Amino acid sequence: MKTAEDDRGACSEGPREIGLCLLCGLPGAGKSTFARALSHQLRLERGWAVGVVTYDDVMPDAFLEEASARPLPSQWKLLRQELLKYLEYFLMAVINGCQMSAPPNRTAAMWEDFIICLKNQDLVSSASLETQSCYLLTKTAVSRPLLLILDDNFYYQSMRYEVYQLARKYSLGFCQLFLDCSLETCLQRNGQRPQAVPAETIHLMARKIEKPNPEKNAWEHNSLTIQSTPCSSEASLKVTDLLLTALENPVKDIEDNVEQKETDRIICSTNVLHQADQTLRRIVSQTMKEAKDEQVVPFNLKLLAEELNKLKAEFLEDLRHGNKKYLCSQQTIHVSDVISFFHYEKDNIVQKYSSKPH
Ligand SMILES: Nc1ncnc2c1ncn2[C@@H]1O[C@H](COP(=O)(O)OP(=O)(O)OP(=O)(O)O)[C@@H](O)[C@H]1O
């Protein structure tokens, strides 16, 4: 592993705990303020290496140079992806223990700001090779744990997913912190800033924002919502817990398969459940009609209806939990299998109550 420190004779080996922590929330929610405080605290109290990448600090200057007009959303998207590419170059250097090279196609101003951002946090050093677009990593960059905090609005789930994919590609820890702050407070804080974001942008974002949703998206399970007020010690503990969990449980490629399988299972079982529910209802009412036609005594009719409805509920409950007894193969549940199984059990019950009045 070659680092700037190695050049001075130091050696750097150790557990490769690297994590990406994504901050999201409305403009003015206090993300940058929080990121600064958190990184300071983690460095001081835990001795972690921390890098904060505040997108606003790196991206706008690129536009000042390349375009005077306000960028279109599609341009922002491309720039965000380009910045993520820079991060990937840094991560590759960290993981492989080599120097960080510059990506071949890059927006000069943004790359420069990115390098300044890393240098200011003692993650890369000026090196003699700098003229050739190579940067040596510092001792901080190769020490562990290393946490990179990405500070942007990340108001769409798709924006956050790009970061998750990066974490997965390199088996890194991944977590999300959502800074919860009322629209009024964001507008008020924003209004007091020298370079305020247009208020209508904040209104629009408040309407569009997709908060982390761990129930819906398995990949977002490592997320925490915190209030944008001065951090209580309890909130601070929760944040540390989230970060430790992420660092100790790097994202694995396999998770995607599990996630996909789980999604498939839910879609499949939802469809199966719906179809099964409809069909079983029809079978029960048809069976009851036949029993009446056969003049089953009213008392038995009542018991028969109770038993059939109970059986139907049990079947649906089992299906909901993926009970394997209806599976013809290990993976797929067919409604036809469920129905024939139900018919079999239903016939047994019908037989019990089919005695006609004497
Ligand atoms: N907890 C807080 N209490 C009061 N004021 C705060 C708090 N957090 C941040 N602020 C103030 O609100 C303003 C916006 O904060 P900050 O830049 O951290 O927000 P942000 O979410 O990073 O915004 P943006 O997304 O636009 O970069 C700053 O002037 C900051 O001093």
Side-chain angles (χ1 to χ4, degrees):
M1 209 180 227
K2 185 167 168 42
T3 68
E5 198 64 22
D6 288 341
D7 280 353
R8 300 194 293 272
C11 179
S12 53
E13 286 298 334
R16 300 190 161 220
E17 284 180 328
I18 306 171
L20 301 179
C21 173
L22 185 156
L23 293 187
C24 54
L26 293 176
K31 298 177 295 297
S32 305
T33 309
F34 180 82
R36 282 193 293 273
L38 180 64
S39 58
H40 179 72
Q41 185 196 342
L42 292 172
R43 285 185 197 118
L44 205 70
E45 293 177 9
R46 301 205 153 246
W48 292 4
V50 185
V52 178
V53 180
T54 298
Y55 279 39
D56 279 352
D57 291 347
V58 180
M59 287 177 37
D61 286 351
F63 270 108
L64 291 179
E65 186 190 72
E66 316 231 326
S68 51
R70 219 183 137 63
L72 299 168
S74 56
Q75 291 175 301
W76 276 119
K77 184 176 176 184
L78 289 177
L79 274 189
R80 261 201 344 270
Q81 287 171 346
E82 189 176 330
L83 181 50
L84 221 48
K85 190 45 85 187
Y86 297 174
L87 264 171
E88 183 169 0
Y89 270 65
F90 173 66
L91 286 167
M92 279 193 297
V94 166
I95 292 164
N96 298 322
C98 56
Q99 297 167 6
M100 181 178 71
S101 54
N105 300 316
R106 56 187 185 273
T107 307
M110 186 158 84
W111 175 251
E112 266 166 38
D113 283 342
F114 179 67
I115 293 298
I116 290 170
C117 163
L118 296 183
K119 276 185 185 168
N120 285 346
Q121 296 177 91
D122 189 32
L123 293 170
V124 297
S125 67
S126 299
S128 55
L129 287 172
E130 197 169 342
T131 45
Q132 296 165 29
S133 306
C134 272
Y135 301 86
L136 292 175
L137 300 183
T138 60
K139 190 179 176 191
T140 309
V142 295
S143 61
R144 298 290 179 269
L146 168 66
L147 182 73
L148 295 178
I149 301 175
L150 310 192
D151 165 21
D152 194 22
N153 302 118
F154 290 112
Y155 59 102
Y156 282 142
Q157 176 206 300
S158 57
M159 296 168 172
R160 303 192 292 269
Y161 193 68
E162 290 169 351
V163 181
Y164 171 80
Q165 284 175 309
L166 184 63
R168 190 180 55 195
K169 187 169 175 185
Y170 294 97
S171 295
L172 312 176
F174 173 81
C175 61
Q176 308 183 124
L177 277 167
F178 175 68
L179 266 274
D180 199 10
C181 187
S182 72
L183 175 61
E184 292 70 32
T185 307
C186 290
L187 289 168
Q188 186 229 328
R189 284 182 191 168
N190 176 61
Q192 290 167 356
R193 292 197 281 197
Q195 285 183 314
V197 175
E200 64 268 25
T201 305
I202 303 184
H203 277 285
L204 185 71
M205 229 181 254
R207 284 200 296 278
K208 290 190 164 184
I209 196 161
E210 296 168 351
K211 298 176 188 177
N213 188 344
E215 278 88 42
K216 188 169 156 238
N217 308 315
W219 61 272
E220 292 198 293
H221 72 274
N222 230 0
S223 304
L224 184 66
T225 296
I226 47 169
Q227 300 305 316
S228 165
T229 44
C231 233
S232 67
S233 54
E234 191 196 348
S236 177
L237 276 179
K238 280 188 184 168
V239 171
T240 312
D241 217 41
L242 177 88
L243 298 174
L244 281 170
T245 305
L247 287 167
E248 285 162 10
N249 301 281
V251 183
K252 300 239 168 38
D253 245 350
I254 197 164
E255 268 188 26
D256 205 32
N257 298 336
V258 172
E259 188 187 311
Q260 190 56 46
K261 274 189 195 144
E262 179 62 7
T263 311
D264 290 349
R265 193 191 70 73
I266 290 166
I267 291 168
C268 169
S269 61
T270 307
N271 288 339
V272 168
L273 257 182
H274 180 70
Q275 288 176 46
D277 184 35
Q278 301 286 310
T279 313
L280 297 187
R281 267 171 209 272
R282 273 200 302 278
I283 296 172
V284 170
S285 74
Q286 180 62 28
T287 309
M288 288 310 296
K289 187 173 172 301
E290 286 167 8
K292 272 182 206 153
D293 291 346
E294 285 174 27
Q295 300 186 323
V296 173
V297 291
F299 182 69
N300 279 359
L301 269 183
K302 183 172 168 280
L303 293 178
L304 177 64
E306 277 175 6
E307 278 215 43
L308 289 179
N309 280 319
K310 188 163 163 261
L311 182 70
K312 178 170 83 70
E314 281 170 3
F315 263 68
L316 293 175
E317 190 61 15
D318 281 349
L319 258 182
R320 202 168 281 122
H321 295 109
N323 192 321
K324 294 273 193 296
K325 76 180 172 186
Y326 315 118
L327 297 183
C328 60
S329 77
Q330 280 303 298
Q331 298 301 329
T332 322
I333 300 173
H334 294 290
V335 177
S336 54
D337 295 329
V338 179
I339 302 307
S340 56
F341 210 94
F342 184 84
H343 269 299
Y344 172 76
E345 304 236 336
K346 173 215 65 172
D347 288 345
N348 287 338
I349 296 173
V350 170
Q351 249 185 4
K352 262 196 326 190
Y353 299 106
S354 67
S355 54
K356 294 183 181 163
H358 300 292

